[in-house]
């Protein structure tokens, strides 16, 4: 992948996309697949913001049934199946346990009918391309069975549980990247660290954007017929730039944080209820537990958002209130934290937790900005179908481009795998010079591209040794820089690989990664020190 803004081209693109989260990535792929020429601009790294802050669930969203959002849940369940199909190495079914109590929102009489509706709305869950991705219908399990399966659930008042399945995306940052790579394969041009700082306008029509290349510190114009604002929690600020006014449209933002800890659950995602009635999940992930999420209104500049010790401590009080004595988590047990801001489309709901996760697509022609479309809200899970709807609007507007979407029917780039189990089996068998753990991990995370990582390791054996329990290897660092537009240490550690997402990997590993990056990217000592400092801040739990 090449950062297209480094080359001064005079093209006029059909579509310019602002934002390289999952929404922008999906829109880029959808538009490119319909025959549009596409440019995508991201001011940070791809998937560095909300799209990296998820609970890693690809799900219908059982709790949205409580708001009677049947349309949203059905759309999400359909997209869940599509993502299982088109990204088989990245999206997997995961069993959930929802403990039941005698009274309240967790009583069997409320959850059971909800589960029947959930199952009915996912009536097509058996029609997956790969048999291993089929999702079973829900069932009831006894109190004793819950204790056997996941002892983290407090027995007091618990009457049993519902066992059902949803999906997890093992590395959402790379799922976003897979959409971007799929777009690039079809001709889309993309750039990270490319911030849209102004719009080119003529007689009420938006004709392009002014882009600041944050790496080369230079500004250029990118021209296009249609601009799509996929700025997530920044979408309103981008609109301010387009209109030249302040607060042209305010988005409500809600903050969500996650904690990584030692394993508290075995194989199930457990839906916990805190003493104050807050719902949170404990999700098994890479031999650890992922606990999340909070959901609290965030007021302020999205660029200034950060997780503080106070916020983590507050969340820990809620979490510990729901855990057994033996499972209590101290602050020092928290290995890593991450968080992000949800843009919420409705501003009526008092509690952001109850606010809808539906998305909205606005044609800004109504505001005197012909040629600009803004997308707001949504879930990671529904991004592909959101993109279908946005591009349908573009096709209608232009009277060009293919009307038919193909993105639900084709594997994403690197995911061309018919049976994930046979693929992993063959990968292990054919690459005996690496440990099974390494091959299993790389084949899932890189799909069919894992052989390119192995090639680097075979050429440079010093990059072939496993550096963590997942079997990750330093050849991934080289691959990230040469093939995947990684330009900073955090791009490598947090988004192209999983080296940093279970917490600080240790000084020795960080040193090696920094040295490889410095060599590949030609960093001097000052740049190395800067990168080291930024990476340490991102990897350490706030103190
Ligand atoms: C805590 C939390 C947990 C969640 N869990 C789940 C889950 O488990 N499952 C699920 O389906 N959904 C989940 N979601 C929702 C999901 O994360 C979002 O719907 C999705 O990531 C939104 O993607 P996006 O691309 O619209 O936004 P983002 O990922 O935020 O992307 C917007 C991008 O625009 C860029 N940008 C902004 N301004 C400019 C500019 N001027 N120039 C260029 N680029 C710019 C930003 O840098 C950013 O990368 C969760 C959300 C949160 C916050």
């Amino acid at each position: 992948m090449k950062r297209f803004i480094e080359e001064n081209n005079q093209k006029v693109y059909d579509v310019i996309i602002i934002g390289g989260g999952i929404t922008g990535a999906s829109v880029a792929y959808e538009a490119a697949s319909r025959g549009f020429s596409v440019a995508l601009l991201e001011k940070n790294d791809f998937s560095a913001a909300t799209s990296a802050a998820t609970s890693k669930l690809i799900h219908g969203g059982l709790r949205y049934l409580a708001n009677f959002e049947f349309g949203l849940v059905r759309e999400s369940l359909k997209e869940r199946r599509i993502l299982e199909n088109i990204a088989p190495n990245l999206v997997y079914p995961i069993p959930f346990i929802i403990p039941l109590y005698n009274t309240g929102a967790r009583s069997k009489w409320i959850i059971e009918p909800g589960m029947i509706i959930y199952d009915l709305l996912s009536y097509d869950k058996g029609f997956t391309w790969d048999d291993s991705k089929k999702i079973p219908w829900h069932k009831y399990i006894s109190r004793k069975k819950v204790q056997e399966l996941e002892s983290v659930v407090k027995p007091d008042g618990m009457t049993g549980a519902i066992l059902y399945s949803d999906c997890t995306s093992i590395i959402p940052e790379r799922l976003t990247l897979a959409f971007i790579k799929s777009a690039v394969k079809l001709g889309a041009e993309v750039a990270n660290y490319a911030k849209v700082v102004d719009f080119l306008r003529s007689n009420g029509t938006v004709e392009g954007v002014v882009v600041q290349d944050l790496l080369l510190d230079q500004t250029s114009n990118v021209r296009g017929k249609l601009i799509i604002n996929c700025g997530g929690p920044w979408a309103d600020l981008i609109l301010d730039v387009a209109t030249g006014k302040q607060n042209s449209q305010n988005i409500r933002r809600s903050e969500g944080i996650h904690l990584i800890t030692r394993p508290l659950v075995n194989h199930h995602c457990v839906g916990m209820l805190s003493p104050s009635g807050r719902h949170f999940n404990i999700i098994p992930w890479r031999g650890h537990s992922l606990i999340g999420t909070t959901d609290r209104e965030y007021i302020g500049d999205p660029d200034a958002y950060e997780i503080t010790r106070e916020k983590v401590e507050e969340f820990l009080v809620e979490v510990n209130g729901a855990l057994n004595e033996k499972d209590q988590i101290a602050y020092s047990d928290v290995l890593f934290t991450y968080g992000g801001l949800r843009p919420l489309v409705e501003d009526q709901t008092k509690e952001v937790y109850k606010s809808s996760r539906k998305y909205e697509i606005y044609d800004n022609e109504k505001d005197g900005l012909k040629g600009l479309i803004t997308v707001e809200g949504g879930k990671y899970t529904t991004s592909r179908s959101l993109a279908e709807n946005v591009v349908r609007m573009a096709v209608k507007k232009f009277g060009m481009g293919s009307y038919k979407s193909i993105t639900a029917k084709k594997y994403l780039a690197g995911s061309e795998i018919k049976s994930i189990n046979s693929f992993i089996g063959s990968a292990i068998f054919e690459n005996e010079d690496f440990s099974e753990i390494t091959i299993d991990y790389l084949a899932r995370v890189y799909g069919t591209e894992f052989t390119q990582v192995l090639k680097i390791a075979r050429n440079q054996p010093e990059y072939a040794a496993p550096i963590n329990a997942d079997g990750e290897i330093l050849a991934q660092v080289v691959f990230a820089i040469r093939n995947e537009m990684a330009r900073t240490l955090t791009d490598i550690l947090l988004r192209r690989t999983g080296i940093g997402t279970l917490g600080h990997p240790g000084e020795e590993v960080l040193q090696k990664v920094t040295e490889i990056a410095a060599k590949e990217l030609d960093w001097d000592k000052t740049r190395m020190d800067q990168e080291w400092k930024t990476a340490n801040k991102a990897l350490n739990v706030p103190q």
Side-chain angles (χ1 to χ4, degrees):
M1 294 205 299
K2 274 200 304 201
R3 287 180 80 237
F4 81 98
I5 50 159
E6 289 181 14
E7 290 157 12
N8 190 9
N9 76 43
Q10 299 301 315
K11 271 193 201 168
V12 179
Y13 295 90
D14 293 329
V15 180
I16 297 174
I17 294 155
I18 308 174
I22 187 63
T23 307
S26 305
V27 173
Y29 176 39
E30 188 69 37
S33 74
R34 308 276 193 107
F36 291 115
S37 61
V38 174
L40 181 143
L41 299 156
E42 164 55 53
K43 74 169 178 175
N44 196 316
D45 186 25
F46 307 123
S47 203
T50 328
S51 303
T54 79
S55 303
K56 307 186 200 293
L57 298 177
I58 299 297
H59 63 150
L62 186 57
R63 71 185 174 87
Y64 309 129
L65 286 178
N67 305 346
F68 303 105
E69 293 192 272
F70 299 121
L72 172 68
V73 176
R74 170 60 200 147
E75 181 184 17
S76 306
L77 290 167
K78 182 177 165 211
E79 289 303 312
R80 180 184 76 181
R81 179 178 57 84
I82 291 172
L83 288 171
E84 283 185 282
N85 285 343
I86 67 174
N89 54 313
L90 296 170
V91 178
Y92 296 86
I94 180 175
F96 272 67
I97 283 181
I98 304 288
L100 299 173
Y101 301 90
N102 264 330
T103 52
R106 283 290 185 86
S107 92
K108 191 175 178 182
W109 310 112
I110 292 183
I111 299 289
E112 182 70 43
M115 278 319 309
I116 293 170
I117 297 170
Y118 203 66
D119 270 341
L120 291 174
L121 291 173
S122 57
Y123 58 88
D124 48 1
K125 60 184 162 218
F127 299 117
T128 51
W129 298 346
D130 178 340
D131 280 349
S132 73
K133 304 282 175 180
K134 290 191 195 310
I135 287 182
W137 290 64
H138 84 273
K139 64 179 186 188
Y140 171 80
I141 53 172
S142 69
R143 184 173 188 268
K144 189 163 164 257
K145 187 80 185 163
V146 179
Q147 293 278 276
E148 266 169 43
L149 294 175
E150 299 296 354
S151 62
V152 76
V153 181
K154 266 186 178 175
D156 337 348
M158 192 253 298
T159 55
I162 295 291
L163 180 66
Y164 76 105
S165 290
D166 246 313
C167 283
T168 175
S169 156
I170 54 169
I171 178 159
E173 300 80 0
R174 290 197 65 90
L175 183 53
T176 304
L177 193 65
F179 273 90
I180 289 179
K181 287 184 175 183
S182 306
V184 169
K185 251 177 114 176
L186 295 172
E189 298 184 33
V190 302
N192 53 3
Y193 299 102
K195 181 177 181 180
V196 170
V197 289
D198 207 350
F199 283 74
L200 305 171
R201 309 171 201 87
S202 171
N203 299 326
T205 302
V206 179
E207 295 183 333
V209 291
V210 181
V211 185
Q212 195 183 352
D213 183 334
L214 299 174
L215 298 180
L216 300 183
D217 198 18
Q218 59 193 26
T219 304
S220 57
N221 293 345
V222 179
R223 297 195 170 270
K225 296 176 193 157
L226 181 68
I227 322 287
I228 307 181
N229 171 4
C230 301
W234 287 267
D236 57 342
L237 302 177
I238 293 171
L239 270 181
D240 283 354
V241 177
T243 54
K245 295 179 198 149
Q246 282 228 318
N247 306 326
S248 27
Q249 197 189 343
N250 270 332
I251 298 181
R252 265 181 108 190
R253 301 174 180 90
S254 112
E255 169 199 16
I257 65 176
H258 290 90
L259 315 176
I260 301 279
T261 66
R262 67 175 185 273
L264 298 167
V265 289
N266 297 316
H267 306 293
H268 303 82
C269 169
V270 180
M272 306 288 288
L273 205 56
S274 78
S276 70
R278 276 296 327 251
H279 168 90
F280 67 92
N281 287 321
I282 307 183
I283 305 163
W285 186 64
R286 294 175 61 197
H288 290 69
S289 278
L290 165 57
I291 309 177
T293 166
T294 58
D295 203 336
R296 167 185 283 200
E297 182 140 30
Y298 174 79
I299 313 261
D301 178 359
D303 282 315
Y305 170 69
E306 63 175 8
I307 301 180
T308 59
R309 182 176 178 120
E310 196 190 350
K311 286 175 192 173
V312 176
E313 279 175 344
E314 265 177 35
F315 188 35
L316 273 182
V317 170
E318 291 256 1
V319 170
N320 279 328
L323 296 178
N324 278 314
E325 208 52 49
K326 69 173 177 51
D327 294 314
Q328 294 290 302
I329 307 162
Y331 197 87
S332 55
D333 295 330
V334 178
L335 304 172
F336 186 58
T337 59
Y338 66 88
L341 301 174
R342 306 173 184 86
L344 305 171
V345 291
E346 58 176 318
D347 51 14
Q348 306 304 326
T349 328
K350 251 187 162 179
E351 279 179 73
V352 287
Y353 179 67
K354 290 191 179 154
S355 191
S356 175
R357 265 41 165 180
K358 67 183 180 214
Y359 55 78
E360 278 177 13
I361 303 167
Y362 299 103
D363 186 342
N364 297 106
E365 191 168 345
K366 293 176 212 133
D367 318 315
L369 291 165
K370 200 171 166 206
L372 181 68
I373 289 176
T374 296
V375 176
E376 283 176 5
K379 291 169 68 182
Y380 195 110
T381 308
T382 50
S383 303
R384 195 212 57 87
S385 71
L386 178 162
E388 232 188 278
N389 290 324
V390 176
V391 175
R392 187 174 301 131
M393 201 183 223
V395 170
K396 271 195 200 150
K397 260 177 135 24
F398 282 141
M400 65 169 272
S402 164
Y403 200 77
K404 227 172 149 198
S405 175
I406 53 160
T407 55
K409 300 188 183 78
K410 280 187 168 286
Y411 291 112
L412 291 177
S415 289
E416 303 85 349
I417 299 160
K418 278 198 174 141
S419 157
I420 188 68
N421 291 335
S422 322
F423 176 72
I424 304 283
S426 311
I428 292 171
F429 181 73
E430 287 159 13
N431 297 286
E432 281 181 335
D433 47 338
F434 290 87
S435 75
E436 274 192 28
I437 293 174
T438 293
I439 298 297
D440 186 287
Y441 182 87
L442 296 184
R444 289 179 203 278
V445 166
Y446 294 85
T448 56
E449 293 176 353
F450 84 96
T451 51
Q452 296 180 46
V453 179
L454 296 190
K455 198 171 163 198
I456 296 171
R458 286 189 181 114
N459 285 339
Q460 284 169 284
E462 70 275 24
Y463 298 160
I467 52 168
N468 59 24
D470 285 307
E472 289 196 280
I473 56 177
L474 291 170
Q476 294 170 249
V477 177
V478 179
F479 183 75
I481 296 167
R482 291 188 193 161
N483 301 61
E484 300 185 323
M485 220 185 273
R487 290 292 181 272
T488 70
L489 266 189
T490 51
D491 296 350
I492 298 163
L493 297 163
L494 301 178
R495 292 175 285 277
R496 300 303 181 284
T497 74
I499 298 172
T501 46
L502 288 176
H504 200 297
E507 297 259 315
E508 198 188 328
V509 169
L510 191 56
Q511 186 64 38
K512 284 183 185 161
V513 174
T514 312
E515 279 164 16
I516 297 171
K519 196 167 144 209
E520 291 285 322
L521 292 163
D522 206 15
W523 289 344
D524 60 14
K525 176 82 175 59
T526 315
R527 176 73 193 269
M528 274 172 88
D529 289 348
Q530 250 173 23
E531 290 287 331
W532 178 267
K533 225 170 123 188
T534 311
N536 271 297
K537 183 160 191 274
L539 296 167
N540 285 321
V541 175
Q543 292 304 324

